[in-house]
Amino acid sequence: MVYINGSSIDVAAITLKDYLLKNGYSISKIVVEINNKIISKANYENVILSSGDVVEIVSFVGGG
């Protein structure tokens, strides 16, 4: 299980980039932290989500 934004999710050997795209995230409008470390967007395709990872995905939202 991987913990993403507080929810337990069963993902197996998927890259961070694939997970984000599959779940409709706009990569240019988010920041991702895994196990208390911010991940560079350039590394999203190299990071494999592993059991026990704690992932926080923060989206930037405009407003007024």
Side-chain angles (χ1 to χ4, degrees):
M1 290 292 181
V2 175
Y3 300 91
I4 300 179
N5 290 348
S7 296
S8 172
I9 298 175
D10 187 17
V11 292
I14 188 172
T15 67
L16 175 58
K17 183 176 181 178
D18 288 343
Y19 174 83
L20 294 170
L21 293 175
K22 181 179 176 184
N23 288 281
Y25 288 97
S26 177
I27 290 177
S28 65
K29 297 180 182 180
I30 61 170
V31 171
V32 179
E33 176 184 278
I34 299 178
N35 302 326
N36 297 316
K37 180 181 174 189
I38 294 175
I39 307 300
S40 166
K41 289 183 190 323
N43 287 329
Y44 285 3
E45 64 188 50
N46 300 320
V47 173
I48 306 289
L49 297 176
S50 300
S51 182
D53 281 344
V54 177
V55 180
E56 292 293 328
I57 303 169
V58 179
S59 298
F60 297 104
V61 182

